[in-house]
Amino acid sequence: MNHTAWWRDAVVYQTYLRSFADSDGDGVGDLAGIADRLDYLAALGVDAIWLNPCYPSPNKDGGYDVADYTTVDAVYGGMPAFDKLLTAAHERGLRVLMDLVPNHCSDQHPWFQRALAAAPGSPERARFHFRGGRGPDGSEPPNNWRSTFSGSAWTRVPGEQWYLHSFDSSQPDFNWANEEVRELFDDVLRTWFDRDVDGFRIDVAYAMVKHPDLPELDDPRDNPYSWNQPGVHEIFARWRAIAASYQRDIPLIGEVWLAPEQAAEYIEPGRLDQVFFFDLMTRSWHPDEFRASINATVDSVPENGGGPAWTLNNHDVHRSVSRYGLTEAEPMDTDDAHARRTRARGTVDVELGLRRARAAALLLLALPGSAYLYQGEELGLPEVMDLPDDARRDPIWFRSQGHEHGRDGSRVPLPWTGDRPTFGFSPTGESWLPQPDWFAGYAVSAQDGVGGSTLSMYRAALPLRRTLFADNGFQWLDAGRNDVVAFRHGAGVSVTNMGSEPFDVPGDWGEPVLRSAPGDGRELAPGTGAWLRQ
């Protein structure tokens, strides 16, 4: 792709479909709900929307347990609703990205059901990772691999073989050494590209290929044999060729939870177009950590290859308001290092967190590359930490016996108005996850047209970003203080005061055009970001 491909500097809005807007009153968000709010998204200034999985699914893991990759679940409106949404989005100049889940499927997928009915060693089982157990009666798992969601990564078919699942037992892993699996997903890509879908975000892209020997681990908490295996790049080169055959810009974006230097290998020429450089999202509110992460990412982007996708929020982590406002963390019993950095619980100063999250958003939107926003981020929503235990849906909660609360708190349906019972989410007052009373203060209706609101800041930032930070080099600026993060990009300058004292912006850095918090003149209060035009 050439340097002007639309995705290189796009702003993409992630819709967690079940929680965005419910049009039919069943308490579950749907495609018509998104279609009804497309003008809201267009006015926000985004270039594309990314739909979390909307395929038929038992929903054991929020749709990431796919039973059919080639159609849309009726609960979301089916294919008629999808086609209407795609057409309406394109009419507004919005592109639509879908979510591809190629590491695993639902245990209700026809292929896995056939595998269960087939004999050990059969072609049906070769599409997955079936192995005999250890011990005299095969009652012990084939190895000591752990599920990312807690517990063993193996589940036994009663009385015989075991199958591998990197996540929940309802999500058996595909065997990507099997050509039938590769051909299945070739067909899946073509199915959606033929319908004019604009690209795919690829779930756990770095973990699809496993070491062929499935070796025992020295430390079960660290499994290098289940991720970043070299064979994965061959798959993406194959997919890149399929996308290129359509003669339009169709980006493939990988979810790659690796250090920037490793993540960059996925966007070498001929592979993926983008990867999420999650490193920045995992960093604490500290100037040295932000600078180190940004440097590592910018320096690792390959020449003539793909580009970085930056984000501070998504459906798998606590919202940035609560992460940056966490003043005292509780001990966390989990093997997942990413969870310890992004889903810590404890005492949260929401006012402090919101101030920092707004400043961090301006910093992120000024970086070279594309930016991904998660629904509700533009409202400044904090994490919902206190969901009732009986309302939780995340398999992490159940597999960890309640030791790890999981991701439900970032998936609570959005507040559109200040009105109970569901703040405008559903016309009947149903909501698949309960919403807290304090959502009223963050509703779209409470912020729409209100100067200084978080929504107003995002609405001002996104169109300004297009002209201010057109890709024309990246250069750090010396603020004379370590606690101020400042850089020049294109015709703009981004300044973030991460310290505890005010900072006076030098006159030769340009004129202020946007702030994350109110202020006068060139003084930036602590926890404030600003954009300047040179």
Side-chain angles (χ1 to χ4, degrees), residues 414-488:
L414 294 186
W416 293 96
T417 69
D419 303 321
R420 272 299 196 180
T422 61
F423 304 109
F425 166 70
S426 173
T428 63
E430 297 293 327
S431 174
W432 73 279
L433 282 175
Q435 302 156 296
D437 289 339
W438 50 262
F439 257 33
Y442 294 87
V444 172
S445 62
Q447 301 190 47
D448 189 15
V450 177
S453 70
T454 304
L455 179 58
S456 294
M457 186 196 80
Y458 274 81
R459 284 177 172 169
L462 297 194
L464 182 58
R465 175 184 186 271
R466 290 191 179 94
T467 57
L468 201 59
F469 300 109
D471 199 3
N472 186 25
F474 175 87
Q475 177 187 1
W476 290 108
L477 297 176
D478 183 5
R481 286 170 43 175
N482 185 61
D483 58 5
V484 174
V485 177
F487 57 84
R488 179 181 292 111

Side-chain angles (χ1 to χ4, degrees), residues 29 43 158 276 312 334-335 354 410 485:
F276 286 98
L312 294 174
T334 179
D335 294 339
L354 179 58
S410 64
V485 177

Side-chain angles (χ1 to χ4, degrees), residues 25-36:
D26 64 357
V28 176
D30 47 44
L31 293 167
I34 297 176
D36 290 342

Side-chain angles (χ1 to χ4, degrees), residues 144-159:
N144 64 345
W145 289 17
R146 302 278 294 173
S147 160
T148 301
F149 287 175
S150 189
S152 174
W154 295 92
T155 290
R156 193 179 192 187
V157 179

Side-chain angles (χ1 to χ4, degrees), residues 73 208 388 447:
D73 198 321
M208 294 158 55
Q447 301 190 47

Side-chain angles (χ1 to χ4, degrees), residues 112-124:
F112 192 70
Q113 288 296 303
R114 290 174 198 154
L116 292 177
S122 63
E124 290 83 1

Side-chain angles (χ1 to χ4, degrees), residues 242-258:
I242 291 172
S245 72
Y246 282 79
Q247 302 297 309
R248 54 189 175 91
D249 287 327
I250 302 178
L252 301 174
I253 305 105
E255 181 195 21
V256 176
W257 286 89
L258 296 172

Side-chain angles (χ1 to χ4, degrees), residues 30-372:
D30 47 44
L31 293 167
I34 297 176
D36 290 342
R37 306 285 185 175
L38 282 177
D39 288 338
Y40 167 82
L41 296 175
L44 186 61
V46 302
D47 302 290
I49 57 174
W50 152 28
L51 304 175
N52 281 111
C54 53
Y55 313 102
S57 167
N59 270 301
K60 296 288 185 65
D61 184 24
Y64 283 91
D65 46 326
V66 179
D68 182 348
Y69 291 89
T70 60
T71 190
V72 169
D73 198 321
V75 73
Y76 304 124
M79 288 306 302
F82 179 85
D83 290 339
K84 288 179 181 178
L85 171 63
L86 188 64
T87 298
H90 287 169
E91 288 173 349
R92 290 163 173 79
L94 296 171
R95 291 178 168 89
V96 177
L97 307 178
M98 294 188 72
D99 213 323
L100 190 64
V101 189
N103 176 73
H104 52 265
C105 64
S106 166
D107 60 3
Q108 301 305 304
H109 190 283
W111 272 19
F112 192 70
Q113 288 296 303
R114 290 174 198 154
L116 292 177
S122 63
E124 290 83 1
R125 290 202 172 185
R127 297 164 172 166
F128 302 91
H129 296 279
F130 279 88
R131 295 291 187 276
R134 295 180 294 182
D137 58 355
S139 61
E140 296 296 321
N143 65 25
N144 64 345
W145 289 17
R146 302 278 294 173
S147 160
T148 301
F149 287 175
S150 189
S152 174
W154 295 92
T155 290
R156 193 179 192 187
V157 179
E160 46 129 321
Q161 286 188 310
W162 299 70
Y163 65 89
L164 177 69
H165 50 87
S166 297
F167 299 93
D168 190 55
S169 59
S170 64
Q171 298 165 291
D173 283 19
F174 283 113
N175 175 13
W176 274 91
N178 185 289
E179 181 60 22
E180 289 184 339
V181 173
R182 297 181 179 221
E183 291 173 355
L184 169 70
F185 280 91
D186 290 350
D187 291 341
V188 169
L189 289 175
R190 292 189 180 102
T191 293
W192 294 106
F193 293 159
D194 287 345
R195 298 195 80 97
D196 216 21
V197 165
D198 297 295
F200 275 104
R201 176 263 190 188
I202 303 164
D203 189 58
V204 290
Y206 69 119
M208 294 158 55
V209 175
K210 313 300 188 289
H211 190 289
D213 299 330
L214 304 181
E216 189 82 356
L217 298 168
D218 294 331
D219 182 355
R221 295 170 299 179
D222 180 27
N223 188 353
Y225 303 125
S226 70
W227 47 265
N228 204 30
Q229 296 294 303
V232 75
H233 298 303
E234 177 188 342
I235 299 167
F236 297 142
R238 179 169 172 158
W239 290 1
R240 176 73 265 136
I242 291 172
S245 72
Y246 282 79
Q247 302 297 309
R248 54 189 175 91
D249 287 327
I250 302 178
L252 301 174
I253 305 105
E255 181 195 21
V256 176
W257 286 89
L258 296 172
E261 297 81 4
Q262 294 175 302
E265 296 174 4
Y266 287 72
I267 52 173
E268 291 285 348
R271 296 177 180 176
L272 296 178
D273 298 289
Q274 291 182 313
V275 290
F276 286 98
F277 282 84
F278 289 122
D279 187 74
L280 184 62
M281 186 168 69
T282 69
R283 300 298 185 115
S284 63
W285 180 261
H286 193 283
D288 289 343
E289 291 202 29
F290 268 58
R291 269 190 291 264
S293 182
I294 294 168
N295 266 333
T297 298
V298 171
D299 292 346
S300 68
V301 174
E303 188 174 356
N304 299 319
W310 304 92
T311 190
L312 294 174
N313 294 275
N314 66 30
H315 62 295
D316 287 330
V317 304
H318 283 179
R319 291 185 177 274
S320 57
V321 170
S322 297
R323 297 200 318 273
Y324 295 144
L326 188 68
T327 58
E328 185 176 353
E330 300 171 353
M332 193 170 182
D333 182 14
T334 179
D335 294 339
D336 188 346
H338 299 309
R340 289 194 295 271
R341 292 194 294 268
T342 62
R343 295 201 294 268
R345 297 169 61 84
T347 304
V348 175
D349 183 333
V350 173
E351 182 179 353
L352 174 67
L354 179 58
R355 186 178 186 90
R356 289 175 171 178
R358 288 170 56 129
L362 289 191
L363 183 152
L364 179 110
L365 288 167
L367 291 169
S370 65
Y372 281 65

